[in-house]
Amino acid sequence: MTRYVAFLRAINVGGQRLIKMEELARIFAAAGLKNVRTYIQSGNVIFDSSSANAVALRKKIENALLNVLGFEVIVMLRPLADIEEIVRRNPFKKTKADADRALFVVFLSDEPQQNPKLPLTSMVENLEVLEVTDRAAFIVLRRKKNGLFSFPNKFIEKELGVSGTTRNWNTVNKILKAAEKI
């Protein structure tokens, strides 16, 4: 059995495409996945599968979600070993989060269609992409003049030409800990 983490894109955001985590866990279990657990409301699902074919497994999950929910949900699927490696490697070693700086990972659905020169910056979004590797982009957000942080997902999708879903670095670390406890 392989332990996976599924990161779902664009659910429970702004009151749209609402899915209760209990329902999400039931959908995954009904699809034949084992030891299904969700982590917070942003669509993170930890589970075990005998399938080593992540592409076929992702399609199976996306089809199950479409059939039950009636709308398409893009899934970024990673074996737990990939998440362990990302956290171990920690691309943010030289940058710390604070009141004016936040650290994010955008998990990508596929390899980027474009490979931008790094670091990639956006003055409008007040962000810097430090690294893009293994279908993930690592981003430092800085507080904007209006006092808010931007949300990097649309910028990354446009710049890299693939779908993605964004998670705070702290959340990624907590998901790893939760997955290791099952």
Side-chain angles (χ1 to χ4, degrees):
M1 292 289 247
T2 300
R3 181 147 302 154
Y4 289 93
V5 179
F7 299 96
L8 282 64
R9 181 183 183 278
I11 66 160
N12 298 342
V13 178
Q16 302 297 313
R17 299 173 69 163
L18 300 177
I19 305 171
K20 292 191 181 299
M21 293 302 100
E22 298 82 18
E23 175 68 7
L24 191 57
R26 279 192 294 276
I27 294 168
F28 274 66
L33 306 171
K34 305 294 181 205
N35 301 317
V36 178
R37 238 174 109 188
T38 61
Y39 181 79
I40 67 174
Q41 296 295 315
S42 58
N44 309 295
V45 184
I46 304 160
F47 63 92
D48 294 331
S49 174
S50 58
S51 176
N53 184 338
V55 173
L57 185 56
R58 175 182 158 199
K59 292 296 179 202
K60 177 181 180 178
I61 294 166
E62 288 176 340
N63 287 334
L65 292 166
L66 176 61
N67 290 336
V68 174
L69 301 173
F71 56 85
E72 192 175 275
V73 177
I74 299 172
V75 175
M76 279 33 87
L77 186 63
R78 298 292 185 280
L80 182 60
D82 288 4
I83 306 304
E84 290 170 334
E85 176 58 21
I86 285 170
V87 169
R88 184 196 62 73
R89 195 171 41 79
N90 187 1
F92 300 113
K93 286 178 185 168
K94 295 179 182 177
T95 305
K96 300 295 179 211
D98 58 31
D100 295 315
R101 190 177 11 213
L103 311 176
F104 286 88
V105 180
V106 179
F107 292 98
L108 307 172
S109 60
D110 296 294
E111 289 298 326
Q113 293 181 3
Q114 292 100 245
N115 291 313
K117 183 177 183 233
L118 298 175
L120 175 64
T121 59
S122 169
M123 300 307 279
V124 172
E125 300 298 332
N126 208 15
L127 65 79
E128 179 180 11
V129 180
L130 299 178
E131 183 177 319
V132 178
T133 186
D134 299 323
R135 296 180 299 135
F138 301 90
I139 300 153
V140 176
L141 288 174
R142 289 180 177 73
R143 195 173 297 280
K144 294 163 75 170
K145 288 182 183 178
N146 65 6
L148 302 174
F149 288 105
S150 65
F151 191 68
N153 217 76
K154 285 184 182 179
F155 175 80
I156 292 298
E157 288 180 334
K158 180 181 175 201
E159 291 296 318
L160 301 182
V162 295
S163 295
T165 189
T166 302
R167 299 296 184 273
N168 184 289
W169 180 244
N170 289 333
T171 300
V172 173
N173 281 273
K174 289 175 184 176
I175 289 169
L176 175 60
K177 285 184 176 122
E180 292 174 336
K181 289 181 183 178
I182 297 176

